[in-house]
Amino acid sequence: MKLPATATLIVIDMQQAVDLPYWGQRCNSGAEAVVARLLAAWRTRGLPLIHIRHDSIEPNSGYRPDRPSHAFKPEALPLPGETVIAKSTNSAFIGTDLERRLRDSKAGPVVFAGVATSNSVEATVRMAGNLGFDAWIVADGCFTFDKTLLDGRVIPAADVHALSLANLSGEYARVVMSADLLQAVNAG
C-alpha cells in the first residue's frame, strides 16, 4: 500500500466531551494513542489533515462550545494553521464546507478516525462513500460506547464498534488497521 500526497486524514470529534461519564463504557482504550501516531505521521510527511469539532446545540451536551469539555483531547490537539471544521450534526458533511474542501484539493484517499464509531464517524464515512470519495476508516483509531436497545438489552461497545465497521466495509469504505496505514505513510 502506498499513499499519495493527497491522502487526507480527518479526525472526528476527538474532544474531552467523550470522557464524560454519561457516555458509559467504551471500547478501544488505545484509540487516542493511535490518533496521535496518525497525526504525527501525517504532519511529518506534510500530508493534508482536517480536524472535525462538534459544536453541539443540545442543552445538556458536553460538546457545547460553552463547556470546558468542548476542548480537543490533548492527543488530538490541532496545531496552529491546521484546518478545523465545526459541525453541529452527526455528519461532518452537513452544514460545512468539507465536501468542497476535499473536492478542491482532489483528496484521496480520505482516511477517517475518531469518535464515535457508531455515530459521527459512521455517518460521515457513509456520506463520504455516497459522495464518491475513496473513504478509509482506521479500525483501531476509532471507538464507541455501549448501546442500550429499546428492549433494555445492552450491547457491549466492542460489538457496536465491530458492527459499525462491518456496516461500512466494502460499500462505503475500506477498513484498515493503523499499523498498515502508518507503514504506508512512512514508506511514502
Side-chain angles (χ1 to χ4, degrees):
M1 171 184 351
K2 185 172 179 180
L3 287 181
T6 55
T8 302
L9 176 64
I10 299 180
V11 179
I12 300 173
D13 298 353
M14 288 294 281
Q15 294 160 257
Q16 294 174 25
V18 300
D19 295 331
L20 295 173
Y22 66 75
W23 291 103
Q25 293 295 316
R26 66 172 269 192
C27 65
N28 197 7
S29 62
E32 287 89 344
V34 168
V35 167
R37 288 193 296 275
L38 292 170
L39 286 168
W42 250 256
R43 289 167 175 152
T44 297
R45 211 171 133 210
L47 297 173
L49 61 95
I50 297 172
H51 302 268
I52 304 297
R53 185 188 68 223
H54 191 69
D55 291 352
S56 180
I57 57 173
E58 296 297 322
N60 297 319
S61 174
Y63 278 109
R64 286 182 60 85
D66 60 348
R67 305 274 167 83
S69 54
H70 179 259
F72 284 101
K73 292 180 72 74
E75 302 90 342
L77 195 64
L79 296 180
E82 291 180 348
T83 301
V84 176
I85 296 176
K87 67 177 181 62
S88 60
T89 66
N90 55 15
S91 173
F93 286 100
I94 302 296
T96 73
D97 65 349
L98 178 59
E99 180 182 3
R100 182 191 55 78
R101 286 175 182 266
L102 294 175
R103 294 211 188 279
D104 288 352
S105 68
K106 299 184 180 2
V110 182
V111 180
F112 294 93
V115 63
T117 319
S118 59
N119 193 315
S120 292
V121 173
E122 187 170 347
T124 302
V125 173
R126 280 178 182 268
M127 283 198 73
N130 286 335
L131 291 168
F133 291 104
D134 180 15
W136 297 13
I137 181 169
V138 185
D140 55 334
C142 302
F143 65 93
T144 196
F145 305 91
D146 287 355
K147 192 63 80 174
T148 303
L149 301 181
L150 295 177
D151 65 7
R153 287 181 293 149
V154 176
I155 306 300
D159 292 342
V160 176
H161 177 75
L163 182 58
S164 288
L165 294 175
N167 287 339
L168 295 169
S169 182
E171 184 176 355
Y172 301 102
R174 177 178 178 179
V175 179
V176 298
M177 295 300 292
S178 64
D180 298 326
L181 186 57
L182 289 167
Q183 184 177 19
V185 171
N186 295 329

